[in-house]
Amino acid sequence: LRFWPNGTGEKFVRVSKSSYAANSPSEDRCTLFADSEHDCIFAGVYDGHAGGRCADWVDQHIYDMFSEELESASGDVQAAMAAVHVHADQRYIADAEKSGETELMCCGTCAVSAYIALSDDGKSTVTVGNLGDSRAILGEFVNGYLYIEDLSKDHSCADSESERQRLRAEFPDEPRIVITEDSPGAVDEDEHGTVMGLCRFTRSIGDCHMKSQASSDAFNRWHAAHRTGQSIKPPQAGKQYISSKAECQRGTVGDGFLLLACDGIWDEMSSAEAGRICSELLVQTALDKSANVADLFVDEVLKKAAARIRDDYEEEAGLTVE
């Protein structure tokens, strides 16, 4: 995240993005705005689920909303980052319920957003807001060493004890707020590590049926009509089973990089390994500023995924990336 000379007397920051569709059509979106006048970048990865329409909505609106929040907060980036995710969720729910479309009410997106205030004198400041199980990591080169720092915490019912404790404290009288294999009564294996038997992530934008009585009623009517056997107890007014409150962290970096990625990456590797791979790719392509480091990084992730599947499944012994 340093300014690099590009041979014309001007300076630039290298940015790349990539996506690999694990399903068709892809439900994920990536937002990127660069403001050369103010030397700042806004970027986000929005990992949609139950369809891509919520991620589409966030992709279209998040930057304008953040700009408005930043002005309202008199330039306080952390306050604006916290506010924009809550307000985006509120606006999306209102729009979805106004449409009357059950699909809009029942889809959602995890979100990791970053605002980078660039500096060529000292250290650039990175502010991250996160909802769900996407992640941001910061890498910095110092005296030939690479230092990796997580700038977000995964919000997962399956993997985060702190999120399970938060949910139990907020809903002490709701026995299904956190479902584990140790939960009393009959529990389906697919429900292990979920909120209300439906979601493994614990924070998001959208997923109105987990946040609004009107949307949960629409969810229940749809599933009753299609006889799926699924239903949800409507949340009390003012309560959300899935939170829209982003956690915000800030970091600084001189010579380094920021990686934003959805859980498809983190299912295959740790932050440390992802940072190491990114750093090696940056070094390898240092003289080719047109190289898409994100595409190259995704290739490395796919190699790891193929190797894991070969090891886990005998019938896939010959699996290749292709």
Side-chain angles (χ1 to χ4, degrees), residues 65-126:
M65 292 186 67
F66 176 78
S67 298
E68 293 169 4
E69 297 291 351
L70 191 59
E71 185 174 352
S72 298
S74 302
D76 186 332
V77 176
Q78 206 151 355
M81 188 65 77
V84 71
H85 292 86
V86 171
H87 293 162
D89 184 64
Q90 292 170 344
R91 274 186 53 184
Y92 179 81
I93 292 174
D95 287 355
E97 292 186 341
K98 184 178 179 180
S99 77
E101 293 187 56
T102 303
E103 179 188 353
L104 280 177
M105 290 184 245
C106 295
C107 67
T109 183
C110 295
V112 58
S113 307
Y115 179 86
I116 307 158
L118 295 159
S119 171
D120 58 348
D121 297 326
K123 292 205 170 189
S124 299
T125 302
V126 181

Side-chain angles (χ1 to χ4, degrees), residues 85-262:
H85 292 86
V86 171
H87 293 162
D89 184 64
Q90 292 170 344
R91 274 186 53 184
Y92 179 81
I93 292 174
D95 287 355
E97 292 186 341
K98 184 178 179 180
S99 77
E101 293 187 56
T102 303
E103 179 188 353
L104 280 177
M105 290 184 245
C106 295
C107 67
T109 183
C110 295
V112 58
S113 307
Y115 179 86
I116 307 158
L118 295 159
S119 171
D120 58 348
D121 297 326
K123 292 205 170 189
S124 299
T125 302
V126 181
T127 305
V128 169
N130 185 57
L131 294 168
D133 52 13
S134 297
R135 191 183 304 171
I137 68 169
L138 197 63
E140 184 167 25
F141 303 105
V142 180
N143 297 325
Y145 291 92
L146 172 66
Y147 295 87
I148 300 294
E149 176 185 4
D150 281 339
L151 280 191
S152 67
K153 183 176 72 175
D154 297 356
H155 301 135
S156 165
C157 188
D159 301 320
S160 173
E161 179 60 28
S162 62
E163 284 295 278
R164 291 193 290 267
Q165 290 178 1
R166 176 183 65 78
L167 284 163
R168 289 179 178 127
E170 290 181 12
F171 298 92
D173 300 322
E174 180 48 71
R176 286 179 60 83
I177 192 60
V178 171
I179 298 179
T180 68
E181 57 186 5
D182 299 322
S183 294
V187 176
D188 190 282
E189 186 175 348
D190 290 340
E191 295 182 330
H192 292 173
T194 64
V195 181
M196 300 298 287
L198 295 174
C199 305
R200 282 181 167 75
F201 53 87
T202 58
R203 306 193 193 202
S204 73
I205 295 172
D207 299 296
C208 315
H209 60 300
M210 304 291 285
K211 302 173 180 178
S212 158
Q213 181 165 351
S215 291
S216 63
D217 288 343
F219 174 88
N220 289 337
R221 286 194 301 271
W222 189 93
H223 282 278
H226 291 79
R227 300 180 181 179
T228 67
Q230 279 196 325
S231 64
I232 185 172
K233 178 182 176 181
Q236 296 178 6
K239 288 281 203 175
Q240 293 187 334
Y241 295 137
I242 300 295
S243 175
S244 61
K245 295 181 180 178
E247 286 190 312
C248 298
Q249 295 189 43
R250 178 177 291 170
T252 59
V253 59
D255 179 10
F257 58 89
L258 175 71
L259 171 64
L260 307 178
C262 69

